[in-house]
Amino acid sequence: MSEATKQSVGTIGGYTVLRREPLERLEGAFIQLEHERTGARHIHIECGDDNNGFTILFPTPPRDSTGVAHILEHVVLAGSQRFPVHDPFFSMTRRSLATFMNAFTSADWTAYPFSTRNAKDFSNLLDVYLDATFYPRLEQDAFMQEGIRFEFEIPDDPRSGLRYKGIVFNEMKGALASPAAAMQRAMGKALFPELTYEHVSGGDPEHIPELTWQELRDFHASHYHPSNAFFYTYGDRPLEATLEAIERNVLSRFERISIDSSIPFVKRFSQPASLTEPYPAVAGEDNSRRSQALTAWVTVPSSDSFRLLSLKVLTEVLLSNSGSPLRKALIDSKLGTAMADGTGLQDDYKESVFGAGLKDIRTEDSSKVEQVVLDTLTKLAKVGVDPAQVDAVIHRLEFEKRERSNAGFPYALKVMFSCLPAYNYGGDPYASMNFDADLARLQQERKDGRWFESVIRTELLDNSHRALLTIVPDPDLEDRKHKKELERLALIEATLSEPDRNKIVEDALRLKSAQDARQDLSVLPTLELSDIPMKFEPLAPRSTAIGGASVDFYVLPTNGVTYLDIRSAFVVSGRALDRNVKPFVEILADLTSRLEIDPARLKEIIAETATRLESSLANLGFQFAILLAQSKLTPEGALNERLQGIRMLHSMRELAKLDEQQLGPVIDELQAIRTALFRAEAIQVVVTCEESTVATVSEHLASLVESLPTEREKTRSPKPPAQDPVPEARIAPVPVAFNVRTFKTVRYTNADAPALLVLANYLRDTFLHKELREKGGAYGGYAQASTGAGLFMLGSYRDPNIIRTYTVYDRAVRWVLDSPIEAEQLKEAILGACGDVDPLESPDIKGRREAVNRLTGFTLQERERFKQRLLHVTSEDLRRVTSRYLADGSGVQVTVAGADLIEAARKEHPELFAVVEPV
Ligand SMILES: [Zn+2]
């Protein structure tokens, strides 16, 4: 904000209110404050939403790839002055009804957000978050556990081989294995030389071992200070109370210091650059067309809300759908099949990056891809951008602004992310979240001349700060890195004296005993079972029949948006502003009754899907393992695996081999499926809208239903049977493992279901988290009860182990049966289970969810009964369901992992898997 506007419009406690602006769409206000003495900055979004949000954010630009900011984020959450337990953050997740709790490290900031609907919970979490960030213990043991340490292969045997261990060390091995991560790394290195972005902010496993505990503490002292802090709050809780708590707990104990965490603008290139970066691929596969090329430019400052909006609109116009000119030109070139990772606009750098390119190319075609991008932009700058496409994009932006959805992520925090670039990089956060003024200016510029054509010229074509980034598959990369790591360790090991070795053993044993030690969690604030709301808000649809189809209207305050789902076994859904209901329903009618499938377009979609799946194998490992295990237990699981699992990947690979002419039978099959699904008698329509729109929607729906065929249903093909329940391993290009063991249980109507849900929470929080994450070094250890599907899962995520993890699963079951279950831990597990059955909703999801609940019989009464039963689950119940469902050896197990890990596990235990195949 400029000095001219930096005038006080009042004070609250020790804060100066710098600005107060109305936010019409939220019927609230935007309030910007600064703490006088320390300089701490604060934005509050005042509105009627009871899901209150909080975030504390620090700019933390790293100067190397040791992952200091990321490891600090982990260590900060490992105990603080007021809450000196070794894991207050994870402990709080089970003493709270938070609708969101997490921490993020980005390229140049670290943020700690949460949200909750419960007032007591908000104060509890605020206390814990403030104490964690400003007064962490930062103990050496926490640094070693979370970050990096030496340990022997067998921790108490100093001759078993020196290894690196640490949660972030493993997390980053997994995170950096994908092509997308390689592209991100190439972008930082090529476009931002000598700036913070040339480093791997999360930490490169090759450099993480260089970080020392002292450096970590220094980084905290110089960055986690009120003078470098950005606070954010949102919701209906009075601002004064929150500010008072922040001041009392933190700000009153600090003095202003001078911290320069700003990032300079990059020195602009006079010549375009290029860079090639390898990514790990599976050996033995055809990797000849697995490269990616991206042309990327450094463009406008991310703090400049107007120029950023212009570029955002332009990016959407160029790339958002198959008809967008740049996307179309790239796909039509046939050099590759899908948009490269990094395509689009990234505003989480100080200066935004625009990129466009292709996946699935031959390495030698990289510069041809760039030429297509440049030629297309040159042509557009000359002949002009289609104004209708610009209008469509602007319409969508306005739509998104109107929507207050908690889908995927609480709206309370979405608002923060929408103003974050401006807030963090010194721009105007109000302008960027409430972009009416910028939009009006943009429309004026469009009227005055060829605005987007000139943006294409100045920001892209005439801007020589550009790089051609090529990422290439390298089947030996992981192997080389692994060998290099072992060689490095061998060199270090050769220098170790006997006392050094003993110290490493001592450290390992001390860490282990600290992890096992009982902790006094009573210092942490907590909710009680009596704080849990027991009633669900009743929500009844207005049900009617329109031409043979059943239609449920859910009348809710949707802020002028209509949501519509056409259901049967397959859902077509959409949303539109109320004034556009007619064309909206017409489009749905086209899709359901008059769809023409173009072979060329189908070919493109198949190729794009196949490519996207292949390039995200590193991230899909967990999902694939879960679905494959479930396919071995139930017919529904087998079906799901075909739709979303490895079998789907295989089908996509087969389809991708067909050329356009061979797609005829596929199209016939798709058309047959469509007509079987969308018959007037078979469909169910769910509409969520405001009262004033019900009549219009009904009218247009009538003509939609009329256009559907009325023929009787043909015989359905039966569900596939469950697969052979043998243990299976799938090899994927990742240096980590995903290990899953799944059991068949019962659905929510069964009296055992509530106990199974509590058991999942109990196992995860008390045993698996400790054994798999803290001790085993996996990024996550989970237990999950799917009360809808009647399944129970134990799983590990980005795990360095296979056999050890399966042993932990065995021990977990025995542990429930043989060890005492403490009342406090049972209470926490019940709290967690109650949160699971009462997720955060918003009008757009409420109607839809209620429709599913009614369809599956999980009605309001059933849910209330289920929740009542949850409150009464006893430790005896936990033991009973454990022995009934988990202890009989009926679980099936599936691992998706890198080849090395699977091979090592089989060497040790040849019978471990009955099937070992590539994904
Ligand atoms: Zn992490």
Side-chain angles (χ1 to χ4, degrees):
M1 157 174 335
S2 71
E3 285 304 315
T5 56
K6 206 168 175 173
Q7 303 158 346
S8 160
V9 292
T11 56
I12 302 175
Y15 287 84
T16 306
V17 182
L18 297 174
R19 194 171 177 190
R20 192 186 167 94
E21 305 277 358
L23 282 177
E24 277 166 37
R25 62 175 157 138
L26 287 173
E27 291 155 24
F30 168 97
I31 303 167
Q32 192 171 354
L33 311 102
E34 191 170 303
H35 187 252
E36 259 160 71
R37 220 163 40 78
T38 62
R41 287 149 284 190
H42 193 120
I43 284 178
H44 178 63
I45 306 297
E46 184 182 274
C47 65
D49 193 345
D50 70 349
N51 187 44
N52 282 268
F54 171 88
T55 300
I56 169 109
L57 179 143
F58 305 98
T60 50
R63 280 191 211 93
D64 52 40
S65 293
T66 58
V68 59
H70 180 195
I71 294 173
L72 181 59
E73 171 218 312
H74 280 242
V75 178
V76 149
L77 301 175
S80 62
Q81 283 178 14
R82 265 177 77 193
F83 309 112
V85 296
H86 72 225
D87 206 351
F89 186 78
F90 278 96
S91 303
M92 278 312 288
T93 60
R94 32 197 200 251
R95 303 162 82 86
S96 153
L97 287 171
T99 48
F100 189 87
M101 275 181 82
N102 212 333
F104 301 103
T105 307
S106 93
D108 59 13
W109 50 256
T110 308
Y112 300 83
F114 74 77
S115 69
T116 179
R117 301 177 67 183
N118 184 297
K120 179 172 161 195
D121 205 22
F122 187 93
S123 324
N124 289 351
L125 291 168
L126 183 64
D127 278 359
V128 172
Y129 270 58
L130 291 176
D131 208 58
T133 48
F134 290 99
Y135 310 106
R137 292 190 299 177
L138 301 182
E139 291 184 332
Q140 190 170 15
D141 281 359
F143 169 67
M144 287 165 55
Q145 174 182 298
E146 300 291 325
I148 187 76
R149 66 181 183 272
F150 288 121
E151 202 171 286
F152 292 105
E153 176 78 41
I154 301 163
D156 58 359
D157 176 1
R159 299 287 155 203
S160 60
L162 193 66
R163 298 289 176 266
Y164 286 125
K165 289 272 170 73
I167 291 171
V168 171
F169 182 73
N170 265 307
E171 180 191 344
M172 292 313 295
K173 276 191 171 180
L176 294 180
S178 68
M183 185 61 89
Q184 199 67 36
R185 204 157 56 232
M187 196 183 272
K189 276 202 270 192
L191 288 177
F192 298 102
E194 289 166 45
L195 291 192
T196 187
Y197 307 121
E198 70 175 350
H199 308 299
V200 180
S201 63
D204 180 339
E206 269 184 67
H207 294 285
I208 290 174
E210 293 155 18
L211 183 68
T212 66
W213 176 42
Q214 188 56 46
E215 282 165 352
L216 184 93
R217 289 192 294 178
D218 293 345
F219 195 85
H220 179 267
S222 58
H223 292 81
Y224 283 43
H225 187 284
S227 303
N228 192 45
F230 291 86
F231 290 86
Y232 164 87
T233 45
Y234 165 101
D236 65 355
R237 192 185 140 87
L239 173 63
E240 291 70 17
T242 310
L243 294 182
E244 193 276 321
I246 295 173
E247 212 170 6
R248 175 167 36 83
N249 286 316
V250 177
L251 304 185
S252 62
R253 297 192 248 164
F254 284 89
E255 294 299 329
R256 188 191 284 258
I257 60 167
S258 141
I259 298 174
D260 186 10
S261 54
S262 67
I263 298 160
F265 288 112
V266 69
K267 199 166 153 279
R268 293 294 176 125
F269 298 165
S270 53
Q271 288 292 322
S274 66
L275 184 78
T276 300
E277 181 85 14
Y279 76 86
V282 179
E285 277 190 27
D286 177 11
N287 286 316
S288 63
R289 282 194 75 146
R290 291 270 171 88
S291 293
Q292 298 190 24
L294 183 83
T295 307
W297 283 266
V298 170
T299 64
V300 304
S302 299
S303 58
D304 188 330
S305 64
F306 173 69
R307 290 171 73 196
L308 190 64
L309 178 70
S310 277
L311 215 54
K312 235 179 227 171
V313 172
L314 177 66
T315 304
E316 294 280 300
V317 168
L318 293 175
L319 293 163
S320 63
N321 61 59
S322 59
S324 307
L326 185 51
R327 187 188 192 102
K328 187 165 183 328
L330 282 164
I331 295 290
D332 288 352
S333 75
K334 309 260 189 244
L335 293 166
T337 52
M339 292 297 103
D341 289 314
T343 296
L345 186 70
Q346 263 182 273
D347 61 6
D348 46 5
Y349 295 119
K350 163 114 175 175
E351 292 164 274
S352 307
V353 172
F354 173 87
L358 282 170
K359 274 181 185 172
D360 254 9
I361 65 160
R362 288 182 224 287
T363 313
E364 59 270 27
D365 285 344
S366 179
S367 53
K368 290 186 196 154
V369 173
E370 180 165 64
Q371 207 50 53
V372 172
V373 174
L374 297 177
D375 289 349
T376 311
L377 292 174
T378 307
K379 197 176 121 205
L380 281 168
K382 207 180 286 169
V383 304
V385 170
D386 180 359
Q389 287 181 329
V390 178
D391 289 338
V393 170
I394 290 178
H395 172 79
R396 195 163 65 235
L397 285 177
E398 284 180 307
F399 180 93
E400 281 165 10
K401 195 178 133 183
R402 188 186 279 259
E403 205 181 32
R404 293 192 303 240
S405 171
N406 285 319
F409 200 72
Y411 184 73
L413 300 171
K414 283 180 187 157
V415 172
M416 192 238 345
F417 283 107
S418 77
C419 64
L420 184 60
Y423 194 18
N424 186 29
Y425 299 122
D428 179 346
Y430 175 69
S432 72
M433 70 165 291
N434 188 56
F435 49 86
D436 291 342
D438 284 341
L439 207 54
R441 185 174 153 200
L442 185 64
Q443 297 289 30
Q444 190 56 47
E445 296 282 7
R446 284 178 73 195
K447 242 184 250 159
D448 293 350
R450 292 159 56 86
W451 176 251
F452 286 104
E453 293 75 8
S454 85
V455 174
I456 292 178
R457 267 203 200 90
T458 50
E459 300 301 344
L460 305 175
L461 291 172
D462 297 345
N463 169 5
S464 51
H465 199 104
R466 172 183 101 209
L468 171 59
L469 310 171
T470 312
I471 60 162
V472 295
D474 181 344
D476 303 322
L477 184 66
E478 286 303 326
D479 210 36
R480 272 200 321 273
K481 282 192 175 178
H482 186 61
K483 285 209 179 89
K484 204 169 145 195
E485 185 183 313
L486 291 178
E487 280 164 21
R488 178 177 175 183
L489 284 161
L491 282 177
I492 297 169
E493 191 170 355
T495 69
L496 294 181
S497 64
E498 220 38 43
D500 290 340
R501 285 179 187 272
N502 293 339
K503 169 91 170 57
I504 291 170
V505 170
E506 265 166 42
D507 283 345
L509 298 181
R510 190 185 63 249
L511 268 185
K512 188 177 175 316
S513 73
Q515 285 157 348
D516 283 332
R518 278 188 52 88
Q519 296 203 78
D520 180 12
L521 293 178
S522 64
V523 290
L524 286 173
T526 184
L527 291 184
E528 298 303 329
L529 295 183
S530 55
D531 293 316
I532 298 173
M534 289 314 294
K535 290 280 170 206
F536 289 90
E537 224 176 291
L539 180 62
R542 199 176 301 163
S543 303
T544 59
I546 297 183
S550 72
V551 181
D552 288 346
F553 280 97
Y554 290 90
V555 176
L556 288 164
T558 58
N559 214 11
V561 180
T562 296
Y563 300 88
L564 200 149
D565 293 356
I566 302 179
R567 280 175 192 284
S568 40
F570 178 93
V571 185
V572 175
S573 62
R575 49 192 188 155
L577 293 178
D578 291 351
R579 62 179 149 89
N580 294 328
V581 158
K582 183 169 185 276
F584 169 52
V585 179
E586 278 167 4
I587 290 171
L588 290 176
D590 275 346
L591 285 177
T592 49
S593 64
R594 293 185 286 268
L595 184 70
E596 292 293 334
I597 300 174
D598 168 25
R601 178 74 190 119
L602 180 64
K603 170 81 191 143
E604 272 173 37
I605 291 172
I606 291 169
E608 215 175 322
T609 313
T611 305
R612 200 179 55 234
L613 288 169
E614 299 288 358
S615 60
S616 36
L617 285 181
N619 299 324
L620 289 169
F622 197 44
Q623 177 188 326
F624 280 175
I626 293 170
L627 290 170
L628 186 57
Q630 293 181 350
S631 77
K632 294 164 180 287
L633 288 170
T634 62
E636 291 78 17
L639 192 63
N640 268 336
E641 146 76 0
R642 283 188 185 193
L643 294 173
Q644 303 170 61
I646 294 175
R647 277 181 164 230
M648 178 268 297
L649 172 68
H650 291 176
S651 313
M652 218 44 91
R653 279 178 183 156
E654 288 306 309
L655 286 173
K657 287 181 195 153
L658 303 178
D659 58 34
E660 254 173 68
Q661 290 73 35
Q662 294 168 303
L663 285 173
V666 179
I667 292 176
D668 291 346
E669 210 176 317
L670 290 175
Q671 292 290 19
I673 293 172
R674 180 176 61 78
T675 39
L677 286 175
F678 298 114
R679 289 171 300 108
E681 282 72 30
I683 63 164
Q684 198 201 348
V685 184
V686 177
V687 186
T688 305
C689 64
E690 300 194 57
E691 183 64 61
S692 55
T693 322
V694 173
T696 329
V697 176
S698 306
E699 183 192 321
H700 296 303
L701 270 179
S703 56
L704 181 148
V705 175
E706 216 167 84
S707 68
L708 296 175
T710 49
E711 68 212 70
R712 292 178 60 82
E713 189 180 8
K714 304 195 182 74
T715 40
R716 292 185 194 210
S717 50
K719 271 185 205 160
Q723 303 293 303
D724 196 5
V726 294
E728 193 165 333
R730 295 290 185 143
I731 302 164
V734 284
V736 288
F738 303 92
N739 301 298
V740 165
R741 184 182 287 173
T742 303
F743 306 85
K744 196 166 175 193
T745 58
V746 286
R747 301 183 69 229
Y748 53 78
T749 41
N750 188 295
D752 283 345
L756 283 161
L757 192 61
V758 176
L759 176 67
N761 278 275
Y762 177 72
L763 269 175
R764 185 190 64 220
D765 295 344
T766 56
F767 194 82
L768 296 173
H769 177 80
K770 185 202 283 177
E771 294 295 328
L772 296 179
R773 183 175 160 111
E774 292 180 358
K775 293 190 191 169
Y779 183 63
Y782 306 102
Q784 200 174 61
S786 312
T787 48
L791 293 167
F792 192 98
M793 175 200 83
L794 303 173
S796 73
Y797 187 79
R798 287 186 189 161
D799 189 346
N801 305 300
I802 295 176
I803 292 181
R804 179 186 180 279
T805 297
Y806 283 126
T807 315
V808 168
Y809 294 162
D810 295 336
R811 285 172 45 219
V813 170
R814 281 203 306 275
W815 182 76
V816 179
L817 297 176
D818 301 341
S819 313
I821 295 172
E822 288 170 33
E824 189 63 19
Q825 293 182 337
L826 178 65
K827 182 195 88 182
E828 289 176 359
I830 292 174
L831 260 175
C834 287
D836 294 346
V837 292
D838 197 4
L840 181 65
E841 291 182 324
S842 50
D844 56 316
I845 22 189
K846 251 184 197 162
R848 198 169 282 171
R849 183 126 61 199
E850 180 63 22
V852 174
N853 284 337
R854 282 167 187 261
L855 216 61
T856 55
F858 206 27
T859 56
L860 182 95
Q861 293 77 10
E862 276 293 339
R863 274 179 292 154
E864 284 182 355
R865 197 156 72 123
F866 190 89
K867 217 169 177 184
Q868 282 295 346
R869 280 178 173 170
L870 279 178
L871 291 191
H872 297 105
V873 168
T874 64
S875 43
E876 213 22 71
D877 293 332
L878 295 193
R879 290 202 189 90
R880 187 187 72 247
V881 295
T882 301
S883 85
R884 182 173 295 169
Y885 302 102
L886 270 54
D888 62 355
S890 66
V892 298
Q893 52 199 43
V894 171
T895 287
V896 172
D900 289 8
L901 281 163
I902 291 177
E903 204 177 304
R906 290 178 89 195
K907 214 181 244 173
E908 196 181 328
H909 192 339
E911 311 288 290
L912 188 63
F913 302 113
V915 180
V916 178
E917 276 173 23
V919 288

